[in-house]
Amino acid sequence: MNSLNMKQKKYLADASLLFVAFAWGGGFVAVKDALNSLTPMYLMAFRFTLAAIVVYVSLHRWIGKISSQELRNSSVVGTILFLAFAAQTVGLQYTTASKQGFLTATYVVMVPFLYWMLYKKRPPLKVFIGSFLTLVGIGFIGLDATLSLNKGDWLTLLCALFFAMHILSIEYYTKTIHVFKVAFIQISVAALWFIGAALIFEPMPGSLSARAWVAIVYMAVVSTFGCFTVQTVAQKHTTSSHASIIMSLESVFAAILGVWLLQEEMTMAMFFGCALIFIAILMVEVNLKKSLPEPKTFGMEADR
């Protein structure tokens, strides 16, 4: 009976993680759609402010008192998170949700190289192979007739770099700070950065449509808070390598939903490029868990 219960929990965990991947993939579509009504900084300001409120209301008993050192260190994580989402959201104005889903996922390939730079631990051979496949895939996805990536593609790759930095910063700081405290502080700090940037660089928004509010609530409650909670519980009943493979399907869902809901174009070249990047992600994810310390992530995975 116990064995059966464990299997049931594992299957439920896998199904839950598949939901997380689907929700994150839908996050790209929600942002793209909301950008029709809001400027990038105001959109993220609304999203992260609401997410911070939901996180605190739901997890305040575990957050507790926050020391000045915890605030300072977690603010570093929040600032990196702000830079990642700023680059991603602005970039999405100039590229498609389906392309951005795969280009953003290249952070998986970047993490081991950044880890190599910081800790002098050389990645395994498959990481280099995965990097090569990723570069080829990016070429098929983003290169146009002039053999150049557009501004949105470059900003998305920059956001992937920041997301890779964010994962490593989370892994570093959560060694001494409770993960829920880091989660709350980083989202709150990112919200403050977005509010400041919106007030300085963008005009005040007018009235928002019901569709825009639906997108904001989806991103804050589902993509940020909900997915993080589900992921945390689900990973108690499955391995992190297994979970990572399932959650990397977000890029596939982003492409499917982008074509289906936003009528985005998916050429054969783009499809082939996406397939190469997805193969590279799976290769690197399997090796990453064997070569690096177990990261505790809330940032990119939880906040898309």
Side-chain angles (χ1 to χ4, degrees):
M1 184 66 178
N2 288 336
S3 175
L4 181 61
N5 287 338
M6 288 180 62
K7 286 183 178 180
Q8 289 176 336
K9 290 179 180 179
K10 182 179 180 300
Y11 292 145
L12 181 59
D14 288 351
S16 300
L17 292 172
L18 190 63
F19 162 77
V20 169
F22 180 81
W24 284 344
F28 290 99
V29 177
V31 172
K32 182 70 174 180
D33 189 50
L35 285 172
N36 294 323
S37 304
L38 272 173
T39 51
M41 297 301 107
Y42 271 108
L43 173 59
M44 290 295 105
F46 279 119
R47 172 185 181 171
F48 277 89
T49 300
L50 178 58
I53 294 171
V54 173
V55 169
Y56 186 78
V57 170
S58 303
L59 305 176
H60 64 90
R61 69 175 65 181
W62 293 280
I63 294 172
K65 294 183 179 179
I66 298 173
S67 69
S68 59
Q69 183 175 4
E70 289 173 335
L71 177 62
R72 183 169 58 252
N73 291 342
S74 298
S75 293
V76 174
V77 184
T79 300
I80 297 173
L81 188 64
F82 159 75
L83 293 172
F85 273 100
Q88 184 185 57
T89 309
V90 174
L92 193 51
Q93 294 181 112
Y94 308 101
T95 190
T96 64
S98 51
K99 286 172 64 176
Q100 189 172 81
F102 279 93
L103 293 177
T104 300
T106 60
Y107 81 92
V108 173
V109 179
M110 299 178 186
V111 168
F113 287 101
L114 290 177
Y115 189 89
W116 187 12
M117 292 172 58
L118 291 173
Y119 299 104
K120 312 302 180 186
K121 184 175 178 64
R122 184 179 179 274
L125 177 61
K126 282 190 177 182
V127 172
F128 292 95
I129 297 174
S131 300
F132 175 75
L133 290 176
T134 298
L135 290 176
V136 175
I138 290 172
F140 276 103
I141 290 176
L143 293 179
D144 55 23
T146 62
L147 297 181
S148 63
L149 294 169
N150 68 36
K151 179 164 59 175
D153 297 333
W154 281 114
L155 284 170
T156 301
L157 291 174
L158 178 62
C159 98
L161 175 61
F162 282 128
F163 278 137
M165 294 170 59
H166 180 258
I167 286 176
L168 291 178
S169 67
I170 283 283
E171 186 263 327
Y172 179 78
Y173 285 115
T174 52
K175 291 178 180 178
T176 56
I177 308 173
H178 193 284
V179 64
F180 287 166
K181 288 187 178 183
V182 177
F184 171 66
I185 297 171
Q186 69 164 336
I187 291 176
S188 300
V189 168
L192 291 174
W193 276 115
F194 278 119
I195 291 171
L199 292 174
I200 294 172
F201 298 111
E202 296 178 349
M204 288 289 291
S207 59
L208 297 181
S209 65
R211 184 166 178 168
W213 277 114
V214 168
I216 292 170
V217 172
Y218 176 90
M219 289 182 286
V221 178
V222 179
S223 292
T224 304
F225 173 72
C227 286
F228 165 67
T229 304
V230 171
Q231 179 195 0
T232 302
V233 175
Q235 284 198 231
K236 293 180 180 180
H237 306 290
T238 188
T239 64
S240 55
S241 297
H242 188 71
S244 297
I245 292 172
I246 294 175
M247 290 186 291
S248 66
L249 288 169
E250 66 161 320
S251 55
V252 177
F253 287 127
I256 293 173
L257 293 172
V259 173
W260 179 34
L261 298 177
L262 302 179
Q263 288 75 53
E264 295 179 346
E265 181 183 9
M266 177 66 76
T267 64
M268 285 304 298
M270 289 174 59
F271 179 82
F272 184 66
C274 291
L276 286 177
I277 291 177
F278 186 60
I279 292 170
I281 290 169
L282 295 185
M283 290 177 62
V284 175
E285 280 287 358
V286 172
N287 275 279
L288 189 60
K289 304 305 179 183
K290 297 178 181 179
S291 59
L292 304 184
E294 194 71 24
K296 301 172 184 175
T297 59
F298 181 75
M300 180 199 175
E301 294 83 349
D303 296 330
R304 273 169 286 213

